[in-house]
Amino acid sequence: MKRLVLFSLSIFIGVCLIVASERRAWGYVDPGSGLLALQTIGSLLAGFGYFLRRRIRRLFVRPQENKIGGVPAATEQGVRKVA
């Protein structure tokens, strides 16, 4: 826990130093650039969620315990779950 606090504090100090030592920019930034960055971040989060959807679903769904001994009962029509 102490390492995490020290690491986050060092990252915060580094970002503050970068912002404080910023030089004046003479370039032009299109107003739509911020929206493009937001769209990129959103699509990355959506892709990450899709990639890990099974693990995310496990957080919200209870495991079903309707099997006897972990093996479903067999019937003439096929396999059915035993209640």
Side-chain angles (χ1 to χ4, degrees):
M1 184 69 178
K2 188 175 179 180
R3 282 185 173 183
L4 177 65
V5 171
L6 288 174
F7 180 73
S8 12
L9 185 61
S10 63
I11 294 292
F12 178 72
I13 290 172
V15 169
C16 288
L17 287 174
I18 289 172
V19 170
S21 64
E22 185 175 299
R23 293 189 300 161
R24 190 170 183 177
W26 294 100
Y28 171 73
V29 177
D30 187 34
S33 299
L35 189 60
L36 183 63
L38 269 174
Q39 181 181 2
T40 303
I41 291 169
S43 61
L44 285 172
L45 288 174
F48 184 72
Y50 182 77
F51 186 70
L52 297 176
R53 66 187 181 273
R54 289 189 187 120
R55 291 184 183 174
I56 294 171
R57 189 179 302 142
R58 266 191 252 149
L59 294 174
F60 300 107
V61 178
R62 288 185 182 175
Q64 296 178 357
E65 299 178 9
N66 55 359
K67 295 179 182 177
I68 298 175
V71 179
T75 62
E76 293 176 9
Q77 288 89 14
V79 178
R80 70 171 175 87
K81 293 183 178 179
V82 177

